[in-house]
């Protein structure tokens, strides 16, 4: 068996709303994604912890590439200074392809950057490129929502 190491994939989206507002949305009001982007996010359930705190665990139902999927994720880290939040996948469909999977959102003025860090389950496992258009569209829709609200 080959020794597989963690890889990463980065996706960025331009945003117009203030960085603090965008960051705080993903920290405290992320459940509203189900209303903002219902074509991709079909449900969310808080399983444990408190919104916006490290250790908060949620189960998401979502659609990627036309396939309904689910993931249980927890907030693994929050860095207010850097305006970043790291979400670690604990269980779900992603872990059929990856031994581990984390997504970190880092927000700066004018930019939302998503970094996926993953460890492939096999050498043939593809990188999670289907998630790039998902987070870019999500960022764009959240930005538009925040500019209006």
């Amino acid at each position: 068996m080959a020794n597989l190491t963690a890889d990463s994939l980065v996706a960025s989206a331009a945003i117009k709303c203030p960085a603090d507002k965008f960051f705080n949305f993903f920290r405290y009001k992320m459940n509203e994604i189900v209303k903002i982007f219902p074509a991709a996010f079909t449900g969310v359930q808080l399983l444990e912890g408190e919104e916006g705190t490290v250790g908060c665990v949620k189960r998401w139902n979502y659609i990627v590439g036309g396939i309904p999927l689910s993931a249980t994720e927890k907030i693994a880290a929050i860095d207010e200074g850097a305006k970043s939040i790291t979400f670690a996948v604990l269980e779900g469909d992603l872990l059929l392809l990856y031994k581990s999977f984390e997504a970190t959102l880092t927000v700066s003025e004018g930019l939302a950057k998503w970094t996926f860090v993953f460890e492939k389950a096999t050498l043939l496992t593809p990188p999670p490129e289907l998630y790039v258009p998902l987070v870019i569209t999500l960022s764009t829709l959240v930005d538009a929502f925040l500019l209006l609200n």
Side-chain angles (χ1 to χ4, degrees):
M1 179 78 188
N3 184 15
L4 300 174
T5 57
D7 285 309
S8 65
L9 181 64
V10 176
S12 297
I15 59 171
K16 295 183 180 89
C17 77
D20 281 339
K21 190 172 182 181
F22 196 88
F23 171 75
N24 285 325
F25 174 88
F26 279 92
R27 182 167 180 185
Y28 297 110
K29 298 181 179 176
M30 199 166 155
N31 292 359
E32 292 185 35
I33 288 171
V34 176
K35 294 177 197 152
I36 296 168
F37 195 5
F41 292 89
T42 57
V44 61
Q45 179 183 6
L46 178 66
L47 300 179
E48 64 183 69
E50 191 178 319
E51 287 291 338
T53 62
V54 171
C56 174
V57 177
K58 296 180 184 180
R59 179 174 297 119
W60 290 91
N61 295 310
Y62 62 100
I63 298 167
V64 172
I67 301 166
L69 302 167
S70 70
T72 300
E73 56 83 16
K74 81 170 182 178
I75 296 178
I78 298 171
D79 183 333
E80 289 190 31
K83 293 184 185 63
S84 74
I85 306 172
T86 299
F87 305 95
V89 177
L90 302 177
E91 58 186 43
D93 297 300
L94 268 171
L95 296 185
L96 298 173
L97 292 172
Y98 306 99
K99 289 182 183 177
S100 63
F101 193 97
E102 284 187 351
T104 300
L105 169 64
T106 306
V107 185
S108 57
E109 291 305 327
L111 192 69
K113 182 173 94 174
W114 293 87
T115 304
F116 303 118
V117 176
F118 53 93
E119 186 178 353
K120 295 178 178 182
T122 73
L123 286 171
L124 299 177
T125 300
E129 291 172 352
L130 286 173
Y131 286 83
V132 170
L134 177 75
V135 296
I136 290 173
T137 302
L138 172 63
S139 298
T140 302
L141 290 173
V142 168
D143 185 46
F145 172 82
L146 293 174
L147 286 169
L148 294 172
N149 293 284

